[in-house]
Amino acid sequence: MKIAVIGQSLFGQEVYKELRKEGHTIVGVFTIPDKDGKADPLAKEAEKDGVPVFKFPRWRVKGQAIPEVVSQYKATGAELNVLPFCSQFIPMEVIDHPKHGSIIYHPSLLPRHRGASAINWTLIHGDKKGGFTVFWADDGLDTGPILLQRECDVEPNDTVNTIYKRFLFPEGVKGTVEAIKLIAEGKAPRITQPLEGATYEGIQKKENAKIDWNQTAEALHNWIRGNDKVPGAWAEVDGQKVTFYGSTLVDNSTTASGQPLEIHGASRPGIVTKAGLVLFGNDNKTLLVKNLQFEDGKMIAAAQYFSSGSSAAVELTEEEKSFAEQMRAVWQSILTNVSRIEDATDFFKSGAGSMDVVRLVEEVKLRASNCHLQNEDVYMNTTFQEFIQMCVRKLRGEDDEEELVVDYVEKNINNMNIKMPHQLFINGEFVDAEGGKTYKTINPNDSTAICDVSLAQISDVDKAAAAAKEAFEEGDWGKMNPRDRGRLIYKLADLMEQHQEELATIEAIDSGAVYTLALKTHIGMSIQTFRYFAGWCDKIQGSTIPINQARPNRNLTFTRKEPIGVCAIVIPWNYPLMMLAWKTAACLAAGNTVVLKPAQVTPLTALKFAELAARAGLPKGVINILPGSGALVGQRLSDHPDVRKLGFTGSTEIGKHIMKSCAVSNVKKVSLELGGKSPLIIFSDCDMDKALRMGMSSVFFNKGENCIAAGRLFVEDTIHDQFVKKVVEEVKKIKIGDPLDRSTDHGPQNHKAHLDKLVEYCQTGVNEGATLVCGGKQVQRPGFFFEPTVFTDVQDHMYIAKEESFGPIMIISKFKGGEVDDVLRRANATEYGLASGVFTRDISKALYVSEKLNAGTVFVNTYNKTDVAAPFGGFKQSGFGKDLGHEALNEYLKTKAVTIEY
């Protein structure tokens, strides 16, 4: 379809790019004129592609369309106008001209919040649901028929920026492109907007964003966040306009201590505390503001109101001076209208805007990857000297809100400086193990020692359990409002995201995970998991139950979902951080405290996680990390009388032992995710290319160290030989090597003992008479590398047909076409039931097989497709209980029934 894109901004740019990817012809881009010599992002992108770009200052004068402008537009021959974000008034001669008319993206659920400040008003009104609408343009103001709508939850502390970045931008781009696809297919609806619920609000401007203090705390919070960042809610403080940013609702159970701050019009003074500025609504409830901005543009942390500007300047080292000069050059390239960048040059007074802030933050990241800036840091340090001082303090680690002493092991690797804690983490502090005991953790890529790690002893377990118990029963965590708990968990996820490259690098050198996979899956899904469960914190609820009445009285029965208390978590070495996240996120969201034992061979990301948890503000004792042996630390956790729940992922053999210990000690609640021998059935009517691709992934993903790996492939006889031939061709393409090399497909196995087991496993298969098609040997190079391996002619009685390898070994058996029940019998003839899969184009067959497969997860025409919202766990000797999804919360909750007679 021939499309004219009319609009501007990064949103317009992304819509434009996606439309080109979809194969549409962009006949013209109509956007705003350059500002200060800088083209709008949409214009820059189109100009780069050679697409005609028109930068009209206006389309009409005194309400009448400008003929020359309309003529240039019509000459493009557009069949559809797409207005992704447009600040100009477009005449109806243009709107109605194309064959398919015009569609507009609007960031609210129309007919609610018509007008240019829709996102602001969604928050100001405290809407629980937000979203966007793609509608057909008409001559009204956002009144045209609806084509498509998508909605999202509005989080309690969302700002315009957060809801835009989380949903309205990414999903809005997808939704706009989807709307155009519907138009192209002739399926686009035109739904008349209802009159009921329609609202229109004017544009939010600075002059009408003044705070009215005669409101509840929640209304004040909504007003401040609804105007954050633009135009900014303000009040008079000490005779000048002060703008408030970063509002959160806070628990009123504790009295704020700090210095009072008189605010004109407020019923009582605010209180400047270490956490920020506490404000009061007319209901005496409170909110907390993080940042303040003065009339001159200077922004400060609200906690520093009475001490702003009092800190002494730091003396720069030669290396820091070199960094400062690099940043001076960056400032110069952004502020092209300034002849020379002086120490007193103000970034914003020199013409910088919000896009320049984003660029500046990214430029710092390129030159100092361990200097993690937020946009607010730039707003709070507006002169060049202030900016450099702030960056240097961050680089030195002197800017942390809470003092956390960390004895780092530092390494310059993967083009960054990584800083790894190596001690136990107990009660909010990094400490040595009892007796100073340590062990060496090994890099599987070259079998060299990474560092010495503290080795926990029984007394350390007791200390950690006591700290967790105190935090749960007496500390802030047990008393915390669920929403506040969710905010802290979400903040932790944000910190993990800021450190994701460092975490992925640590994961790569400690576990052998390929860096790119670690970044996307090991770390990426860990971040997603904490964000997902952060949202559940204030949604845990019981139910009311009708029971027989005790006449003449009446009864009310309801249930409460309550946290269990101190939970132990024991995790494996294949996905060190992700396994931590899968269990710990649900455990924390439910309100419990944690003592976690990472695998002894992969402790480093767990210890880095502990550091980030402390910096996120999780109270002392909530998270405790104990590297150590399973026989000592794991056993003590199983036996400990104060531990009320144990979550374990690992082998079936160890799971049975843990279950017995938990029963004998104090009948702990237990959830177990154990071994697997997952069958994958490939029928001849499958999509062969997809089955091949997914079949390869089902076995070789994460170098086979994957609990749901397809332990045995059943391939229908008519396609068996073709499938094996293609598999061998693909296996030969797998590049084995350094996990930090971006071209590596397959890194080292996790540790030497596991490598030896894989060699023994393959030899057993050969001895039993299975055909070794390729691989089966250790790679002759430093480190713990094993060749991707394929076995065929594997019979049901063989060891390799029944036991998992937990490595890159594909086990292929054939079955006769038409014998669906027989292959199901063979697939289910195992004591494991973690996962399974089937490839077929026959939906009836797929549903039948998925029903009959005895496994906790069944993949149909896909594999390894786990998601934070979908429950994960096994049947039979693969364990019981669920990770992920809403069901995971039940593993860390207890149900109390309350019956009242009245």
Side-chain angles (χ1 to χ4, degrees):
M1 198 158 35
K2 295 179 180 179
I3 295 174
V5 178
I6 305 175
Q8 64 205 71
S9 79
L10 285 170
F11 185 83
Q13 178 192 41
E14 287 303 308
V15 169
Y16 162 85
K17 286 162 64 176
E18 291 301 316
L19 291 179
R20 281 176 56 87
K21 283 182 189 176
E22 292 289 317
H24 297 290
T25 301
I26 309 300
V27 295
V29 164
F30 298 83
T31 187
I32 57 175
D34 295 354
K35 184 178 180 182
D36 297 326
K38 298 177 184 177
D40 181 80
L42 172 59
K44 286 178 68 175
E45 191 71 28
E47 287 167 347
K48 183 180 73 176
D49 295 333
V51 170
V53 176
F54 305 85
K55 302 178 181 180
F56 303 135
R58 62 189 61 82
W59 290 72
R60 59 185 191 173
V61 174
K62 296 181 179 178
Q64 299 298 312
I66 302 172
E68 306 83 53
V69 170
V70 174
S71 176
Q72 288 186 61
Y73 158 76
K74 289 183 175 179
T76 64
E79 299 172 322
L80 173 71
N81 293 332
V82 176
L83 285 71
F85 174 77
C86 183
S87 62
Q88 297 177 310
F89 286 100
I90 310 301
M92 291 307 296
E93 292 92 327
V94 172
I95 293 294
D96 293 336
H97 178 74
K99 176 172 116 180
H100 296 293
S102 301
I103 61 169
I104 301 176
Y105 166 88
H106 184 79
S108 81
L109 297 172
L110 292 175
R112 189 161 173 79
H113 304 309
R114 293 168 176 161
S117 296
I119 313 177
N120 304 76
W121 288 103
T122 297
L123 299 174
I124 290 169
H125 283 279
D127 292 358
K128 303 303 181 187
K129 294 286 184 182
F132 64 84
T133 305
V134 179
F135 69 96
W136 299 94
D138 65 3
D139 57 359
L141 187 62
D142 303 332
T143 57
I146 294 169
L147 194 164
L148 176 150
Q149 284 187 324
R150 296 288 182 269
E151 72 171 33
C152 68
D153 291 332
V154 179
E155 299 296 334
N157 292 320
D158 265 332
T159 63
V160 174
N161 190 42
T162 61
I163 194 172
Y164 186 69
K165 287 172 67 176
R166 186 181 74 249
F167 184 83
L168 296 176
F169 186 108
E171 296 304 318
V173 171
K174 293 178 189 175
T176 304
V177 174
E178 183 182 342
I180 293 161
K181 183 178 180 182
L182 291 172
I183 294 171
E185 295 172 348
K187 300 177 181 177
R190 292 175 179 263
I191 303 167
T192 302
Q193 290 191 33
L195 296 176
E196 184 180 354
T199 64
Y200 172 82
E201 295 94 359
I203 297 175
Q204 273 301 90
K205 297 180 179 178
K206 195 71 177 181
E207 56 265 29
N208 59 19
K210 186 176 181 180
I211 299 170
D212 174 9
W213 294 103
N214 189 27
Q215 300 182 82
T216 65
E218 184 174 2
L220 291 173
H221 165 66
N222 287 337
W223 183 261
I224 293 171
R225 71 186 181 121
N227 286 283
D228 185 345
K229 288 280 191 294
V230 178
W234 60 276
E236 291 182 27
V237 181
D238 288 338
Q240 65 171 319
K241 284 184 181 179
V242 176
T243 304
F244 296 67
Y245 297 111
S247 172
T248 56
L249 286 170
V250 294
D251 186 5
N252 278 44
S253 61
T254 55
T255 304
S257 60
Q259 197 166 346
L261 177 64
E262 293 291 339
I263 301 172
H264 182 72
S267 59
R268 56 186 289 190
I271 302 175
V272 177
T273 71
K274 289 182 179 180
L277 175 60
V278 175
L279 301 170
F280 299 88
N282 60 12
D283 55 356
N284 283 323
K285 293 185 178 180
T286 55
L287 58 148
L288 182 75
V289 167
K290 281 288 190 182
N291 300 317
L292 303 173
Q293 188 173 36
F294 301 103
E295 288 180 277
D296 62 1
K298 172 73 174 177
M299 184 180 280
I300 64 166
Q304 299 172 355
Y305 184 86
F306 291 112
S307 58
S308 178
S310 62
S311 58
V314 297
E315 189 72 26
L316 272 56
T317 65
E318 289 303 315
E319 185 178 355
E320 289 164 350
K321 288 177 182 176
S322 173
F323 168 76
E325 289 310 307
Q326 291 180 51
M327 294 316 303
R328 195 184 299 273
V330 170
W331 276 51
Q332 190 72 71
S333 68
I334 295 173
L335 305 174
T336 54
N337 56 324
V338 177
S339 58
R340 175 176 169 74
I341 303 299
E342 306 286 353
D343 286 352
T345 300
D346 188 286
F347 194 63
F348 298 102
K349 290 180 180 177
S350 300
S354 58
M355 280 303 301
D356 299 311
V357 173
V358 175
R359 177 185 164 185
L360 183 56
V361 169
E362 291 302 311
E363 294 277 9
V364 171
K365 191 184 295 184
L366 287 173
R367 289 158 180 79
S369 59
N370 56 335
C371 183
H372 300 287
L373 295 192
Q374 302 295 316
N375 292 359
E376 287 80 2
D377 293 319
V378 181
Y379 288 107
M380 288 191 280
N381 299 273
T382 60
T383 70
F384 182 73
Q385 184 177 35
E386 291 168 343
F387 176 78
I388 292 299
Q389 289 280 311
M390 175 269 299
C391 288
V392 168
R393 284 195 170 93
K394 282 185 175 289
L395 287 167
R396 294 181 182 183
E398 297 174 359
D399 67 318
D400 300 317
E401 292 179 7
E402 296 290 336
E403 184 179 355
L404 179 68
V405 178
V406 187
D407 180 25
Y408 291 114
V409 172
E410 297 192 44
K411 290 185 180 290
N412 199 310
I413 190 170
N414 200 25
N415 298 317
M416 68 182 78
N417 184 55
I418 61 172
K419 300 167 77 172
M420 299 176 288
H422 63 101
Q423 298 166 288
L424 313 181
F425 187 73
I426 300 175
N427 202 26
E429 297 179 339
F430 285 103
V431 295
D432 290 333
E434 181 72 27
K437 296 199 174 187
T438 64
Y439 70 98
K440 295 186 184 299
T441 185
I442 304 300
N443 184 340
N445 182 55
D446 56 15
S447 67
T448 60
I450 301 171
C451 64
D452 288 334
V453 177
S454 293
L455 183 67
Q457 305 300 301
I458 287 179
S459 60
D460 298 312
V461 179
D462 292 343
K463 291 174 188 173
K469 184 179 181 182
E470 183 178 357
F472 178 75
E473 294 180 353
E474 306 295 335
D476 293 339
W477 195 249
K479 304 171 186 174
M480 190 174 290
N481 181 294
R483 289 187 179 181
D484 292 335
R485 187 164 64 242
R487 292 181 195 116
L488 282 179
I489 296 172
Y490 204 94
K491 184 178 179 182
L492 170 57
D494 286 346
L495 274 177
M496 291 170 70
E497 186 171 56
Q498 291 169 29
H499 289 262
Q500 60 185 336
E501 291 89 355
E502 183 180 21
L503 286 165
T505 302
I506 296 172
E507 194 95 325
I509 66 172
D510 203 26
S511 75
V514 172
Y515 173 75
T516 49
L517 176 66
L519 193 61
K520 177 180 182 293
T521 302
H522 291 231
I523 313 305
M525 192 173 187
S526 299
I527 294 165
Q528 292 170 15
T529 303
F530 277 101
R531 286 199 172 129
Y532 173 80
F533 282 107
W536 272 110
C537 288
D538 62 351
K539 300 171 185 69
I540 297 170
Q541 58 194 21
S543 58
T544 57
I545 303 168
I547 66 170
N548 289 330
Q549 307 295 344
R551 293 189 176 92
N553 294 335
R554 300 177 66 80
N555 297 104
L556 169 67
T557 295
F558 62 89
T559 60
R560 289 173 51 90
K561 295 285 189 178
E562 297 180 350
I564 293 170
V566 178
C567 297
I569 293 174
V570 181
I571 56 173
W573 41 259
N574 57 326
Y575 293 101
L577 189 65
M578 195 169 80
M579 292 297 97
L580 176 153
W582 281 22
K583 295 186 187 300
T584 305
C587 182
L588 294 177
N592 301 287
T593 55
V594 178
V595 181
L596 182 138
K597 190 197 91 64
Q600 188 169 348
V601 292
T602 54
L604 296 179
T605 43
L607 293 171
K608 188 68 181 180
F609 166 82
E611 178 199 343
L612 299 178
R615 299 203 187 284
L618 270 71
K620 291 182 177 182
V622 173
I623 290 175
N624 304 271
I625 308 290
L626 302 177
S629 72
L632 200 70
V633 178
Q635 185 64 54
R636 180 56 180 157
L637 289 170
S638 300
D639 296 335
H640 203 289
D642 289 334
V643 173
R644 291 293 173 183
K645 159 69 199 269
L646 194 147
F648 172 74
T649 296
S651 71
T652 297
E653 179 186 4
I654 300 299
K656 290 178 178 179
H657 181 82
I658 285 174
M659 191 173 175
K660 182 178 179 180
S661 297
C662 288
V664 170
S665 58
N666 60 349
V667 196
K668 292 175 179 63
K669 186 174 183 178
V670 181
S671 56
L672 304 172
E673 195 257 277
L674 307 176
K677 187 66 175 175
S678 302
L680 175 58
I681 303 172
I682 301 176
F683 289 98
S684 60
D685 63 351
C686 69
D687 178 333
M688 176 61 88
D689 289 340
K690 187 175 185 183
L692 174 67
R693 186 173 70 255
M694 292 293 180
M696 290 287 293
S697 173
S698 74
V699 175
F700 299 117
F701 187 80
N702 199 44
K703 15 106 179 188
E705 295 171 354
N706 189 17
C707 53
I708 59 171
R712 192 176 180 192
L713 276 67
F714 294 91
V715 182
E716 192 167 336
D717 52 2
T718 56
I719 62 168
H720 175 273
D721 294 349
Q722 178 191 5
F723 183 83
V724 172
K725 180 182 177 182
K726 287 178 177 288
V727 163
V728 173
E729 291 172 357
E730 292 302 312
V731 166
K732 289 177 180 177
K733 298 175 185 177
I734 295 175
K735 181 180 177 184
I736 300 172
D738 185 344
L740 293 177
D741 185 334
R742 303 305 193 267
S743 64
T744 293
D745 302 310
H746 188 110
Q749 304 309 134
N750 187 273
H751 53 279
K752 180 65 166 61
H754 181 52
L755 177 66
D756 293 342
K757 285 183 179 178
L758 293 179
V759 173
E760 182 182 349
Y761 184 92
C762 289
Q763 188 58 54
T764 300
V766 171
N767 293 343
E768 289 183 316
T771 301
L772 178 62
V773 180
C774 60
K777 300 190 298 295
Q778 178 179 351
V779 178
Q780 296 306 306
R781 58 174 288 167
F784 310 139
F785 291 86
F786 191 78
E787 295 176 343
T789 300
V790 178
F791 277 101
T792 60
D793 302 321
V794 178
Q795 305 304 311
D796 294 355
H797 68 274
M798 294 179 179
Y799 175 84
I800 64 172
K802 296 185 289 185
E803 298 297 330
E804 72 174 331
S805 68
F806 214 64
I809 302 173
M810 182 178 283
I811 307 296
I812 303 177
S813 300
K814 69 170 68 172
F815 69 94
K816 291 183 180 180
E819 298 184 355
V820 176
D821 287 324
D822 186 61
V823 74
L824 280 168
R825 176 190 59 78
R826 296 170 68 193
N828 286 329
T830 170
E831 274 300 301
Y832 301 110
L834 189 56
S836 59
V838 56
F839 279 83
T840 176
R841 284 190 172 97
D842 185 336
I843 188 62
S844 297
K845 187 190 297 180
L847 290 171
Y848 179 77
V849 170
S850 66
E851 178 186 338
K852 295 297 182 181
L853 283 169
N854 195 4
T857 295
V858 181
F859 298 109
V860 179
N861 294 329
T862 187
Y863 209 88
N864 286 326
K865 185 65 177 176
T866 54
D867 187 89
V868 295
F872 179 93
F875 299 163
K876 299 185 287 190
Q877 292 196 44
S878 288
F880 52 84
K882 297 296 182 184
D883 291 327
L884 304 179
H886 180 217
E887 288 192 41
L889 290 167
N890 294 325
E891 304 299 330
Y892 299 95
L893 292 166
K894 57 190 180 186
T895 303
K896 178 185 291 181
V898 179
T899 298
I900 303 169
E901 188 166 295
Y902 60 97

